[in-house]
Amino acid sequence: ENVLENVPAVYRQITAPSHPDQEYYTDSGLVIPSISYSLRTRLLSAAEKYGLSVPRQLEMVGRSASEMALQLLGGCHRINPENSHQRPRAAVLCGPHMQGAQGVSCARHLANHNVDVTIFIPNAVKVINWLQEEMNLFKCTSGVHVQNIKEMTSGSVDIIINALDSHDNEQLHAESWYKAVVNWTRSHRASVLSIDPPSYGVAIEAKWSLSIALPLPLQKSVGKIYLCDLGLPARVFTELGIKYESPFGSKFVIPLHSSE
Amino acid sequence: ENVLENVPAVYRQITAPSHPDQEYYTDSGLVIPSISYSLRTRLLSAAEKYGLSVPRQLEMVGRSASEMALQLLGGCHRINPENSHQRPRAAVLCGPHMQGAQGVSCARHLANHNVDVTIFIPNAVKVINWLQEEMNLFKCTSGVHVQNIKEMTSGSVDIIINALDSHDNEQLHAESWYKAVVNWTRSHRASVLSIDPPSYGVAIEAKWSLSIALPLPLQKSVGKIYLCDLGLPARVFTELGIKYESPFGSKFVIPLHSSE
């Protein structure tokens, strides 16, 4: 039974050009339609055209994802001077694509905040420039980068961050390195935060997921969904036929609830 | 009497190459030395060299400053769907320089979050490219840009954000547009948040100030000081002879207390 059928107009401040596959709602009752990955891609490109460059977008996603992960790790109770001898440990799993670059951006901020971070990125033939730029920055932190999951930290980890999945390339799932990483996660009990999971689903079940700008229609396996404000200005939405008013209020990351 | 004289070593995780003019401390007791503007400039340039570009730094300052302003405006109690008919009003005063660009970046995020924003930027002969890039992005929001303070919103404002002062050019204070803006602020009772105030002092007394990366030696007129994490990786501090461990814990903005 769809709880959003009779919602008053004041709570429908966002409408997409085509009927959404899925609708979500916020803690304050605002209805958030899902949009397709292709519409979202055009949204981010339009923002880029006006000056919200990919590095700016990567910085915003990395900042929001790390801020969320720091809270999930226990926030100030876990990360403080008295606790600096038992730093939380994060494994950040990144594919060779834009979502992987988002993962490395998040990992960099975590390492800057004294989290013991190990990132996995497969030894891909071709690395997109944005991912390379993030990897160069990550090298300036105390974090560790492995190219083979066997080298991943042996002990337990406090959180696994999954940025393995690309929206454009579901075939990655068939890669041997991908299967090895999935097995590795199954042998670890840490909770999983997925960054920008694709609509077609994830091989690694997540406890939480962070979607960006406007949510895609996501499957249950992505767990509890949060939406991250990318700072896209109003004109970008208008240009793509999306009636939009920010649902974020005073926050930059908000929880979403499924309407089913 | 300096409260920090006998602080145990574990709370001195940051030491600058030269004796600091001023020392601050955090809520958890960590001692934060001030650094000179020239050392800070070299710190930000070193970060830029490794890939933390100026636009990324501007995005981080704008994000932190707006997040702080949104809380100062009342957070979720003030900014929510029930209140959308009485949007908070912000006047953001920007000089023709990097701090002005930080101010416009903050203004953009506030406008994205349904704050009624008017920015003032004087009609300068030469606008640095970073400020121009921020102005182009701001044009995509619902915010308003005035070049003469007389055109600034006539009614009351809920917050004034001051990004007028440049660290390199104290002579701006003698400009007629600068004096007119200072007079305008004195005729308005709204509290002032200063972004990245200079060591030589501010003409507009602030209730709060946001300093970036590591604090400069600041005067009392800047009010309560907060420090914003710019995401500078560890190697950058090491390279400039600064022993550094992040004081931010799980936060990206922390309050600082003066040791005097």
Side-chain angles (χ1 to χ4, degrees):
Chain A
E1 181 256 334
N2 186 327
V3 299
L4 298 181
E5 260 149 31
N6 320 318
V7 159
V10 72
Y11 288 99
R12 285 192 178 279
Q13 300 180 350
I14 302 174
T15 45
S18 57
H19 188 74
D21 293 340
Q22 221 159 324
E23 286 188 324
Y24 302 91
Y25 58 95
T26 68
D27 284 344
S28 43
L30 291 169
V31 178
I32 314 289
S34 69
I35 61 172
S36 66
Y37 175 62
S38 77
L39 177 55
R40 199 189 75 177
T41 303
R42 279 182 287 133
L43 201 56
L44 303 190
S45 311
E48 199 185 336
K49 186 185 71 184
Y50 285 114
L52 201 69
S53 61
V54 170
R56 283 179 185 257
Q57 295 181 26
L58 276 172
E59 205 63 33
M60 283 290 277
V61 176
R63 162 75 186 265
S64 287
S66 60
E67 209 158 23
M68 192 173 160
L70 289 166
Q71 292 313 313
L72 297 173
L73 282 167
C76 54
H77 308 295
R78 182 71 174 73
I79 303 166
N80 61 60
E82 275 77 44
N83 248 347
S84 56
H85 55 287
Q86 45 178 358
R87 295 158 62 202
R89 305 178 76 191
V92 184
L93 313 172
C94 306
H97 40 64
M98 186 60 87
Q99 280 61 46
Q102 293 167 348
V104 179
S105 175
C106 171
R108 164 168 52 96
H109 284 294
L110 290 179
N112 283 344
H113 283 248
N114 299 336
V115 175
D116 179 355
V117 180
T118 305
I119 60 172
F120 162 85
I121 310 172
N123 190 2
V125 173
K126 190 179 166 316
V127 175
I128 63 168
N129 58 327
W130 307 122
L131 176 56
Q132 190 57 58
E133 192 172 297
E134 285 296 341
M135 286 161 73
N136 295 343
L137 269 168
F138 183 77
K139 274 186 211 143
C140 301
T141 73
S142 56
V144 174
H145 165 205
V146 302
Q147 293 183 317
N148 185 321
I149 197 66
K150 286 183 193 126
E151 298 157 26
M152 178 58 81
T153 167
S154 52
S156 68
V157 290
D158 298 290
I159 195 167
I160 295 172
I161 295 175
N162 176 14
L164 288 168
D165 299 309
S166 149
H167 299 261
D168 309 306
N169 184 1
E170 195 174 348
Q171 285 65 41
L172 280 183
H173 287 213
E175 300 272 351
S176 56
W177 63 262
Y178 189 97
K179 290 176 187 167
V181 172
V182 172
N183 289 337
W184 180 86
T185 54
R186 289 193 180 135
S187 64
H188 282 74
R189 288 183 37 245
S191 299
V192 175
L193 163 63
S194 262
I195 296 182
D196 192 15
S199 300
Y200 59 74
V202 287
I204 301 169
E205 190 133 344
K207 187 169 181 184
W208 317 277
S209 281
L210 187 67
S211 211
I212 60 176
L214 280 175
L216 308 179
L218 296 172
Q219 300 189 11
K220 290 227 179 315
S221 54
V222 303
K224 182 148 188 45
I225 301 168
Y226 289 79
L227 188 64
C228 152
D229 174 20
L230 214 50
L232 304 184
R235 181 180 303 174
V236 165
F237 293 98
T238 321
E239 215 171 78
L240 289 164
I242 300 171
K243 183 173 92 69
Y244 180 85
E245 199 163 318
S246 170
F248 291 99
S250 61
K251 307 276 182 196
F252 282 80
V253 174
I254 54 172
L256 293 185
H257 311 281
S258 173
S259 60
E260 279 132 31
Chain B
E1 185 253 336
N2 185 327
V3 300
L4 298 181
E5 259 147 31
N6 318 316
V7 160
V10 73
Y11 287 99
R12 286 192 178 278
Q13 299 181 350
I14 301 174
T15 46
S18 57
H19 188 75
D21 293 340
Q22 220 158 325
E23 284 189 324
Y24 302 91
Y25 58 96
T26 68
D27 283 345
S28 41
L30 292 168
V31 177
I32 314 290
S34 71
I35 60 171
S36 66
Y37 176 63
S38 78
L39 178 54
R40 197 189 76 177
T41 304
R42 279 183 285 135
L43 200 58
L44 302 189
S45 310
E48 198 184 338
K49 185 184 72 182
Y50 284 113
L52 200 70
S53 60
V54 170
R56 283 179 185 254
Q57 295 181 25
L58 277 171
E59 206 62 36
M60 283 290 277
V61 175
R63 163 74 186 267
S64 287
S66 61
E67 210 158 24
M68 192 173 159
L70 289 166
Q71 292 312 316
L72 298 172
L73 283 167
C76 55
H77 307 295
R78 183 71 174 74
I79 302 166
N80 61 58
E82 275 78 44
N83 249 346
S84 54
H85 54 288
Q86 43 175 1
R87 294 159 61 204
R89 305 177 74 190
V92 184
L93 312 173
C94 307
H97 40 64
M98 186 60 88
Q99 280 63 45
Q102 293 167 347
V104 179
S105 175
C106 171
R108 165 170 49 98
H109 284 293
L110 291 178
N112 283 345
H113 282 249
N114 299 337
V115 175
D116 180 355
V117 180
T118 304
I119 60 172
F120 162 83
I121 311 174
N123 189 4
V125 172
K126 193 180 165 312
V127 175
I128 64 167
N129 57 327
W130 306 121
L131 176 55
Q132 191 57 59
E133 192 172 297
E134 286 295 341
M135 286 159 74
N136 296 343
L137 268 168
F138 183 77
K139 274 185 211 143
C140 299
T141 72
S142 56
V144 174
H145 165 205
V146 301
Q147 292 183 316
N148 185 321
I149 196 66
K150 287 183 196 124
E151 297 158 26
M152 179 57 82
T153 167
S154 54
S156 68
V157 290
D158 297 290
I159 195 167
I160 295 172
I161 295 175
N162 177 14
L164 288 168
D165 299 309
S166 150
H167 300 262
D168 309 304
N169 184 1
E170 195 174 347
Q171 285 64 40
L172 280 184
H173 287 212
E175 301 271 350
S176 55
W177 62 262
Y178 189 97
K179 290 177 188 165
V181 172
V182 172
N183 290 336
W184 180 86
T185 55
R186 287 192 181 135
S187 65
H188 280 75
R189 288 182 42 245
S191 300
V192 176
L193 164 63
S194 262
I195 295 182
D196 192 17
S199 301
Y200 60 75
V202 285
I204 301 169
E205 191 133 342
K207 187 170 181 185
W208 317 276
S209 281
L210 188 66
S211 211
I212 60 175
L214 279 175
L216 308 179
L218 297 172
Q219 302 188 11
K220 289 229 179 315
S221 55
V222 302
K224 182 147 189 43
I225 300 169
Y226 289 79
L227 188 64
C228 152
D229 174 19
L230 215 49
L232 304 185
R235 181 180 302 176
V236 165
F237 293 98
T238 319
E239 214 171 83
L240 290 164
I242 300 172
K243 182 173 94 67
Y244 180 85
E245 197 164 318
S246 170
F248 291 100
S250 61
K251 307 274 180 197
F252 282 81
V253 174
I254 53 172
L256 294 186
H257 311 282
S258 173
S259 59
E260 278 131 36

